[in-house]
Each structure stands twice: as structure tokens, then as C-alpha cells.
Amino acid sequence: MIVGIDLGTTNSLISYYENGEAKIIPNRLGENLTPSVVSMDDEHTIYIGKTAKERQIKYGCDTVDVFKRSMGTNKEFLLKGKKYRAEEIASFILRGLKEDAEVYLNQTVEEAVISVPAYFNDQQRKATKKAGELAGLKVERIINEPTAAAISYGIRQREANTRFLVFDLGGGTFDVSILELYHNIMEVRAVAGDNYLGGEDFTKVLYDMFIKEKNLSESKLSDKTLAHIRRQAELCKLGFSKGNTSFMQCNIDGEEVEASISLEKYRIECLPLLEKIQKPIERSLKDAGIKLSQIDEVILVGGATKLPIIRKFVGKLFGKLPNVSLNPDEVVALGAAMQGAMKERNEMIKEVVLTDVCPFTLGTEVAISLDKDTKEGGHFCPIIERNTVIPVSRQETLYTAQDDQTSIRLKVLQGESRFAKNNLYLGEINVSVPKGKEGEESIEVTYTYDVNSILEVVVKVVSTGEEKKLIIQKEDCTLTREEIEKRFEELSYLKILPRDEEANKRLLFRGERLYEESFGTMRSQIDYAVTEFEKVLDSRDKAKIEEAAEKLRRFLDEIEEEPL
């Protein structure tokens, strides 16, 4: 069985396809959403999901979140004195999801389709693939998140010809994709987005509003207090789904500090973010050659789209109510499972043929003439423009830039900047050319990008016929077996918290957090309740532990459900 995985900035999910339906697999806590948070204790035990999130307030320096934004970069995260790259942190989440699926399905899970933002570049996709491999998964395919969402909606769509605009605002990234369903063909027309814009930024607005209103100095507050304020800002953001006013209540150095924030004031503070959202929408429509009025359906994807100001903004922009008939948190994971079923040629699923586009322009570095006697190097020459439907092949003829030039180095680049150095370097080819005057020798450069997301670059020296080829794989580029085994060995000393301890550990961390957030007699009550639970845990009596856990859970639920 091929499972579908939505590896999200804020939450991750795993799904499967059975009996004609895609379904979310609940995690070890019985919940569909697993927070993309990883924590480690002194014994190098790994905590993931809600347990890690509860631990974050008290052990923030040993906890990592929002790592998805760093996928494919050189950034490293420190956990208990050791450095980890984003894909290694992600692999812990994926290992946990894989284990949950194996227990739930009662079978070994070895293959997966993993979703990524449509605007992820080559390095980010490779890092996602690597994370899956480190988790012990064969990653059958990397699928764009908006495409996965469109599959979920498209397969249910009654109309034979429908144009979708998928508005995907997750915790850390924003994508907009325009897709067209014609019978059983799902064609991606254009993609655009921002990998550094998401729900976390809308939370940050509330955090900044609170800091400013209460005249607080971040430099004078502890990391634990700042993490506490960020959590309260997240809860305040969620509170707007219940009314036009939400609240923040924070414990600042032992003092209770409260703030009441109106939805309208919050919307005004968010205007710069809403303006950033509008730009990718405009660019995708322009690239697709489609007007707003020609969009049949606007689909909201990602947890951040539950914000009232987002839904109102989208509705006003498109002049129609967006489609939210499927859960925005789950629709990508469901689509990934459907893609896995299609790959397995499951007879119960409606076959959909997918066509895709290049999310970024592919080109090379050239020198341009500024005037008759002056040339300037370092400029970008596009060969395959962004949002070109694939498969595609494009050819460009390039000439020597200097007298007596004996070689040409062709850099393969990906990006949109007019300067080569600002684009992503993918590889290069060096060819020899006969000496001659400037512009006399030339090369034919052919870029071919196929449906398997593999870029083939061929360089041919026109005068000699010499030809060199370079193949650059995207998401289907795997680690060597030696590399995987080596990293497995390096990470083997780490163990993810056993499933049977997860719920109890989370309760204890939750109790510690609420104790630190509370005041007066409430603190004493929490301390007593948690201590009593710890005593029962020491008894190792399963029936008593389950009864005590339920009692503590109800008590903590009552505390958190009380109005702020």
C-alpha cells in the first residue's frame, strides 16, 4: 500500500485509500493532526507532535518547529548538543507517522507519496525526498500540495470541465495554483507563491500587537516567556472563529497581563500580509492567461484559511464564496493518498491524468552587451520559462564572449532573478571550443523537462559536433544506499517515545505548562492533580493508569475551556 503524507509547517497528516475512499490515519493519540514539532530529552528520546508541543514551553531550547521553511538549506538545528538539518528533523515526524500507520493498518508501510508546496525549488524537493528515505520510506512521488487538493475536489467534481484556483495558505507557506479539469485530465495551468508566508506570520502579528500594547521588551523576557506569549497569540488567533473579539492572557514574570483585540483592528494590522498574498494570485492569473471571472471554483486549503479575515479577503477578491466543503487541514493528505492509489492503478478510483508545469524558470548564465565595447557578465538567460506545460524541450544558441576563448562553461540555473547569482545553481557542463574571434564559435543548448520532473541538458559545439549531456533529477533523485545506511547508523541511537507512553507523557507536559501559565490556588490544584497521576504511573497498573489519566485529562480540559 502506498500512503499519502502531508508534511506541513504546522501540522502533518498521513492517509490511505481503501474501498473507494481516501481516509486520514489517526495518530497514537487518536487525532488526525500531528503538530510538526520535535523535542528531545537528556536520554536522547525523541518526542513528536502534541507531546513535543506541550514540552516546548518548558524545554524550548530542546524543541524545534517551523523547520519546513529551512528544507533544502544549510541551516542546522541544535538538539542536546548535536546539530540536525531540517530534513533530519522532518524524518522524525515521518518515522512517527509511519509507525502510527503500521499500527492502524496492521501492515508494514514502505512506500509513500509526500506533498510539498508547489513553489518548492529543486533543493527543497530533494530534501523532502531525503527526509522520507531517512524515515525508512520509499518516496514514490513528490506531489504539489495544490495539485493534491485539486485531485480531492476534482474526483468528486460533477462538471466535466472546471477551472480551479487553489488558494493554499498553510502554517509557513503560501501557494496559488490554477488547474483545469477536462474529463479525466487535470492540467496545471500556472503556479505561484511565497515560501515565507503563512499562518505563523498571522500569529506573529498578534504577538507583536501584544508586545507593543503592553510596552514589553523582548530582550528582557526569557525564552520561556516569549514562547508562552507566542502560544497565547496562536490561541487568540483561533478565538476569532468564535466572534469579533478575542483575548490574550499571559503570565509575565508572575504577573497576569491581559489584552482584548478586535477582529477589525487585527485585520488592519494584517493588511501588509494580505497585500503579499494578492501578488502571487495576480501573477498566476497573468501567467495562465485567465481572468478572475473565468475561475469556476476557488478552493481553500491549509489551516490558516480558517481565519475569518482570510475567507472574507478571498471572497471579496473573487466575488464568490470559496469552496470549503472538504476540511482545509486534511484535503492535501487525502489527495496524496488518491495519487498513491492511482499509481497503484487501484480499480476503485477514477483515473486522473495529471499534467504539470515548471514552477520556476530554467536557464543559464550569460554576458550581455551594454554598448559596442562593453560586456557585463552574470546575467540570467531563460530557456524554459516558468509555468510552461511539461513535457517540454527548448533550444537556445549561445556564442563566445571573448577573442581566443577555448572553453564555455554552461551553468544550469533555476529561478526568476535577472542576475545569475540570485538563482539556484543545479549543475554545469564544460565544453571546449576552437580559438577564434568573439562570437564566431557557438553552442546549441537544449533543455528538456519531462513528466517525471527530470531535466536533461545537452550542449553541442556547432563547429566540431562535440556533444555533452547532463541529467538533473528533481524529486526522483534518491540517496545512494551507502548514504542512507550511513545516516541511519548515525541516528540509530535516537529513539522515538514508545506509543504506549505517549499519551501519559503528553498529559504530564500539559500539566506542567498549565501550572506555569496559572496563578494562585489554581496552581496548587494542578500541582496536586499531576502529583497524584505520577503516583499512579509508578504503580504500573494499566487499569488504574487509564482511569487516572482520564480523570486528569478531564480536569485539565476544564481549566483550558474556562473563558480567558
Side-chain angles (χ1 to χ4, degrees), residues 143-205:
I143 185 172
N144 289 338
E145 290 167 3
T147 305
I151 289 174
S152 293
Y153 276 95
I155 288 176
R156 297 170 171 83
Q157 188 70 31
R158 295 179 181 177
E159 298 295 327
N161 190 5
T162 305
R163 281 185 178 142
F164 299 98
L165 185 142
V166 181
F167 182 102
D168 185 356
L169 187 65
T173 59
F174 172 58
D175 281 325
V176 56
S177 295
I178 297 174
L179 304 96
E180 187 164 3
L181 176 68
Y182 183 72
H183 294 300
N184 70 325
I185 298 174
M186 181 77 75
E187 179 183 349
V188 181
R189 297 289 301 275
V191 298
D194 188 332
N195 287 337
Y196 297 93
L197 175 63
E200 298 288 341
D201 300 287
F202 285 85
T203 301
K204 180 78 165 50
V205 170

Side-chain angles (χ1 to χ4, degrees), residues 230-249:
R230 279 192 291 272
R231 174 176 170 78
Q232 295 307 310
E234 175 68 23
L235 294 175
C236 180
K237 184 179 73 174
L238 298 177
F240 284 120
S241 63
K242 301 175 182 177
N244 292 327
T245 303
S246 195
F247 304 88
M248 284 184 67
Q249 184 181 48

